[in-house]
């Protein structure tokens, strides 16, 4: 038996923080206040209304799709709360109905469902390649760490002790020494190390008082990298190199235009010399810290007396870095790109890039339509496109349209009898709703179809990034005084202005506005600057925002 206790464990009043739902809506979606493990899984399919296949079909594929979609849309709107009405409720509804995650038996935990985990796998696939290209190797650290180890670094344990889980009993007996369950960077110095860049993909426990699926949970998945260096210059170069890897991933794969920069002293990782961050603006204009890279200096190596023999034969303490991203990025993708219809995935990370929906109204049309749909699927699959054929006959095409839109599939291909006769297909883009995003008469000829689909996937990827960038830039306000900063924050926007004030002034901003310094961006304007708080000269501008 293993008993886990928490240091200064906060009282959790609910499994996940969620806004109340209106009484007329469908049953509350994911992560409600419950404790029983005996739950039926949430199935998005159950929340859609299936159309009767016996109803009189329209004469054309387009009319059939439009009419069925209108009918199914009525039910879908009762499932997903509009973003503008309640962003948090919308977020939870999307997670539930897009089948990304379900709740776990312990409050604040979640089961990541296959579709949600596939997004995380796509993140892993990209980053694993980049990490190995930069010379890093995967390994695995133990889940349990002796409590005495973390006590060696005073600032580190002070910063994180409220969030630690501590094992006190094992095998039915009280342990001679308490064990800490793995969480943030509990000391590469705890282990015998070499000058080899290391990383692991693992689960982490962090005792959160307020939780939000994917964004803040008691347990989550992440990647953590650790490196040891002979000089401070090497450590700084490594920390900067890794934040650059995360930045490129955010822009090129997730289509999230992050602001990259350095954390303030108050926001620096406990025990680190410097922390670098990528900050993303979510759809409700709150900031999400999407990834961090820390220059740890010699703080941990001195605490653990981790040394090496330098080229002169002298023993020196190592210089360290650590860096990480987590399943929080999945939440960031949802909140950056999603809309009232549900999830909207960037093609490079989408588990399904293209879904094929066959449409027929008579039995003698079914075979020809399905054969054509299967042929199109094989053509795209052979070309490396992640494609799915939804050939189930228990749901109508309109239901399928809404279902796959909710799951954020970038492209939908529709094939009906007339399309088979003309050797063409209808293609719809998820990021462009309605008729504007639909194109008719695209040839089934492999060379034409593959080229068209791949071009459209690239266009969608670029379009999502452009839209998110425009949204971010239009919601960052340049300020030159504290009053202007407070006004910008009260409007839910980010405030950007010169800053050279004290840590106490920074704490005052947080107390009075709820906003923190997200970072000092690497991109800084030229010219002289005057601190918005003190009126004294300032070398840098900072970005303030409320955050998750």
């Amino acid at each position: 038996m293993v008993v886990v206790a928490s240091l200064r464990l906060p009282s959790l009043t609910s499994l996940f923080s969620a806004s109340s739902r209106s009484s007329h809506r469908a049953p509350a979606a994911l992560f409600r206040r419950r404790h029983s493990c005996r739950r039926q899984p949430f199935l998005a399919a159950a929340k859609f209304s299936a159309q009767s296949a016996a109803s009189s079909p329209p004469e054309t594929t387009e009319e059939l799709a439009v009419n069925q979609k209108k009918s199914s849309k009525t039910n879908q709107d009762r499932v997903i709360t509009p973003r503008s009405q309640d962003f948090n409720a919308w977020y939870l509804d999307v997670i539930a109905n897009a089948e990304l995650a379900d709740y776990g038996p312990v409050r604040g935990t979640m089961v990541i469902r296959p579709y949600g985990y596939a997004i995380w796998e796509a993140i892993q696939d990209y980053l694993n390649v980049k990490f190995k290209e930069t010379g890093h190797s995967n390994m695995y650290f133990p889940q349990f760490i002796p409590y005495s180890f973390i006590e060696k670094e005073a600032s580190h344990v002070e910063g994180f002790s409220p969030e630690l889980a501590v094992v006190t009993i094992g095998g039915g007996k009280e342990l001679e020494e308490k064990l800490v369950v793995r969480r943030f960077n509990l000391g590469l110095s705890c282990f015998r190390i070499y000058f080899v860049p290391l990383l692991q993909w693992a689960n982490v426990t962090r005792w959160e008082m307020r939780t939000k699926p994917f964004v803040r949970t008691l347990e989550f998945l992440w990647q953590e990298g650790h490196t040891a260096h002979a000089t401070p210059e090497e450590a700084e170069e490594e920390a900067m190199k890794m934040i650059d890897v995360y930045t490129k991933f955010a822009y090129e794969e997730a289509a999230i235009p992050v602001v990259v920069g350095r954390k303030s002293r108050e926001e620096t990782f406990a025990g680190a010399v410097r922390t670098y961050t990528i900050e993303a603006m979510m759809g409700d204009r709150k900031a999400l810290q999407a990834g961090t890279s820390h220059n740890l200096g010699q703080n941990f190596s001195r605490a653990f007396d981790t040394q090496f023999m330098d080229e002169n034969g002298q023993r020196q303490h190592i210089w360290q870095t650590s860096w990480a991203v987590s399943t929080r990025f999945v939440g960031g993708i949802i909140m950056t790109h999603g809309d009232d219809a549900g999830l909207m995935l960037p093609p490079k990370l989408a588990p399904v890039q293209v879904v094929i929906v066959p449409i027929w109204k008579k039995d003698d049309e079914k075979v020809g339509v399905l054969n054509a749909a299967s042929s199109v699927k094989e053509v795209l699959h052979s070309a490396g496109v992640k494609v799915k054929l939804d050939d189930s006959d228990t749901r109508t095409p309109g239901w399928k349209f809404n279902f796959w839109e909710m799951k954020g599939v970038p492209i939908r291909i529709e094939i009906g009898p007339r399309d088979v006769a003309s050797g063409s297909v209808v293609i719809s883009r998820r990021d462009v709703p309605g008729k504007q995003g639909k194109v008719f008469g695209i040839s089934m000829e492999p060379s034409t179809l593959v080229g068209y689909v791949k071009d459209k996937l690239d266009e969608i990827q670029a379009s999502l990034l452009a839209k998110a960038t425009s949204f971010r830039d239009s919601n960052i306000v340049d300020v030159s005084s504290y009053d202007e900063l407070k006004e910008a924050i009260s409007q839910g926007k980010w405030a950007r202005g010169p800053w050279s004030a004290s840590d106490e002034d920074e704490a005052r901003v947080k107390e009075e506005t709820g906003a923190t310094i997200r970072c000092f961006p690497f991109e800084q304007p030229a010219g002289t600057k005057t601190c918005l708080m003190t009126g004294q000269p300032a070398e840098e501008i900072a970005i303030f925002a409320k955050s998750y």
Side-chain angles (χ1 to χ4, degrees):
M1 178 178 70
V2 177
V3 177
V4 179
S6 170
L7 299 176
R8 299 200 297 273
L9 176 64
S11 174
L12 296 177
T13 58
S14 62
L15 179 63
F16 285 103
S17 57
S19 301
S20 61
R21 307 291 203 275
S22 300
S23 59
H24 71 276
R25 292 184 62 250
L30 201 56
F31 306 118
R32 295 177 291 183
R33 290 189 184 181
R34 282 190 177 180
H35 302 271
S36 172
C37 295
R38 297 179 179 178
R39 304 183 179 95
Q40 294 297 322
F42 279 91
L43 297 178
K47 298 185 178 182
F48 286 82
S49 174
Q51 288 249 159
S52 170
S55 59
S56 299
E59 290 298 320
T60 67
T61 298
E62 181 188 11
E63 291 171 339
L64 174 66
V66 169
N67 288 343
Q68 289 180 328
K69 184 171 181 178
K70 284 180 180 179
S71 179
S72 285
K73 186 68 174 176
T74 302
N75 266 332
Q76 183 183 338
D77 288 340
R78 290 199 295 269
V79 173
I80 297 182
T81 304
R83 289 204 332 166
S84 59
Q85 176 181 315
D86 187 331
F87 192 86
N88 188 64
W90 166 84
Y91 177 74
L92 297 178
D93 287 345
V94 169
I95 289 174
N97 291 287
E99 301 179 334
L100 300 178
D102 207 339
Y103 39 52
V106 176
R107 290 185 298 173
T109 65
M110 64 177 179
V111 176
I112 303 177
R113 300 181 68 175
Y115 196 71
Y117 197 84
I119 300 172
W120 176 239
E121 285 182 311
I123 294 172
Q124 287 180 299
D125 290 344
Y126 174 89
L127 289 177
N128 232 352
V129 170
K130 296 302 178 184
F131 293 153
K132 291 177 180 179
E133 285 178 353
T134 52
H136 300 84
S137 300
N138 282 308
M139 67 168 298
Y140 187 80
F141 293 111
Q143 186 175 16
F144 299 115
I145 299 168
Y147 188 78
S148 59
F149 279 23
I150 67 167
E151 291 182 305
K152 292 182 180 181
E153 217 297 331
S155 65
H156 191 74
V157 69
E158 179 182 357
F160 292 118
S161 61
E163 300 167 353
L164 300 179
V166 181
V167 179
T168 60
I169 297 176
K173 298 179 180 179
E174 187 170 343
L175 300 178
E176 293 183 5
E177 180 177 3
K178 295 180 291 187
L179 303 177
V180 174
V181 180
R182 174 176 53 217
R183 68 133 295 148
F184 291 111
N185 303 340
L186 287 175
L188 174 63
S189 302
C190 302
F191 309 97
R192 181 182 301 276
I193 63 167
Y194 304 92
F195 286 92
V196 177
L198 304 174
L199 68 134
Q200 72 165 343
W201 297 87
N203 63 329
V204 182
T205 297
R206 170 174 170 163
W207 220 275
E208 295 279 8
M209 185 168 60
R210 290 179 299 274
T211 54
K212 188 180 185 72
F214 288 112
V215 175
R216 287 189 180 276
T217 50
L218 267 63
E219 180 188 7
F220 56 91
L221 304 179
W222 80 338
Q223 153 277 313
E224 59 174 320
H226 298 280
T227 60
H229 303 273
T231 67
E233 292 79 13
E234 289 177 0
E236 178 68 8
E237 180 183 357
E238 176 73 11
M240 292 290 287
K241 177 170 64 178
M242 300 321 296
I243 202 65
D244 183 57
V245 169
Y246 294 155
T247 302
K248 289 181 178 178
F249 165 75
Y251 273 89
E252 297 175 4
E253 301 292 307
I256 297 178
V258 295
V259 175
V260 57
R262 186 189 78 256
K263 286 288 190 182
S264 68
R265 286 189 299 269
E266 287 292 293
E267 296 293 321
T268 293
F269 178 77
V273 175
R274 282 178 295 279
T275 290
Y276 302 111
T277 182
I278 53 174
E279 300 288 327
M281 182 182 289
M282 301 294 95
D284 60 353
R285 297 180 295 189
K286 285 185 179 179
L288 184 76
Q289 181 179 288
T292 51
S293 178
H294 313 287
N295 183 338
L296 303 177
Q298 293 179 313
N299 289 340
F300 288 92
S301 64
R302 290 185 182 278
F304 291 94
D305 197 28
T306 309
Q307 301 183 45
F308 72 100
M309 192 78 71
D310 67 14
E311 58 186 9
N312 298 317
Q314 301 296 313
R315 295 183 67 83
Q316 304 286 347
H317 287 97
I318 62 171
W319 302 81
Q320 292 176 252
T321 74
S322 67
W323 26 275
V325 295
S326 73
T327 40
R328 163 177 283 213
F329 231 114
V330 178
I333 291 167
I334 298 168
M335 291 190 286
T336 299
H337 302 303
D339 62 12
D340 285 352
L343 190 62
M344 191 181 303
L345 292 174
K348 290 185 178 181
L349 297 180
V352 178
Q353 295 173 315
V354 177
V355 62
I356 302 171
V357 178
I359 303 171
W360 68 88
K361 60 180 179 178
K362 299 177 183 178
D363 289 342
D364 59 358
E365 297 171 338
K366 179 178 179 179
V367 173
V369 169
L370 288 180
N371 286 341
S374 296
S375 176
V376 168
K377 176 189 175 182
E378 182 57 35
V379 165
L380 294 176
H381 177 74
S382 298
V385 177
K386 291 181 282 187
V387 57
K388 178 177 179 60
L389 169 60
D390 188 345
D391 57 359
S392 61
D393 56 8
T394 59
R395 301 291 185 180
T396 64
W399 186 95
K400 294 176 183 179
F401 291 178
N402 288 327
F403 179 69
W404 293 108
E405 281 184 0
M406 181 167 348
K407 293 177 79 74
V409 175
I411 287 178
R412 180 179 72 245
I413 293 180
E414 305 161 24
I415 302 176
R418 292 191 177 184
D419 302 308
V420 174
S422 64
S424 65
V425 298
V426 179
I427 292 183
S428 295
R429 290 174 52 158
R430 172 64 178 88
D431 64 319
V432 183
K435 290 185 178 181
Q436 186 178 356
K438 180 172 288 192
V439 179
F440 298 84
I442 303 301
S443 173
M444 291 185 192
E445 174 64 32
S447 59
T448 300
L449 182 62
V450 170
Y452 185 89
V453 167
K454 288 190 172 182
D455 285 346
K456 288 305 171 185
L457 290 173
D458 289 342
E459 286 181 22
I460 294 169
Q461 185 80 26
S463 174
L464 291 180
L465 177 60
K467 183 178 178 180
T469 302
S470 176
F471 179 80
R472 180 201 65 182
D473 292 348
S474 65
N475 285 287
I476 298 178
V477 178
D478 288 307
V479 298
S480 58
S481 69
Y482 186 37
D483 286 341
E484 291 180 356
L485 183 151
K486 289 189 287 187
E487 176 63 21
I489 298 300
S490 70
Q491 295 175 359
K493 298 190 176 185
W494 292 16
R496 178 175 55 198
W499 185 263
S500 61
S502 65
D503 295 346
E504 291 74 19
D505 287 327
E506 184 178 343
R508 177 189 169 193
V509 173
K510 182 176 181 179
E511 180 179 355
E512 294 180 357
T513 70
T516 56
I517 292 180
R518 303 316 305 160
C519 69
F520 292 93
F522 287 163
E523 293 185 3
Q524 291 282 332
T528 59
K529 307 173 188 67
T530 301
C531 177
L532 66 88
M533 178 69 80
T534 66
Q536 300 299 311
E539 295 183 356
E540 297 177 293
I541 62 168
I543 289 182
F544 293 80
K546 293 183 179 180
S547 66
Y548 283 104

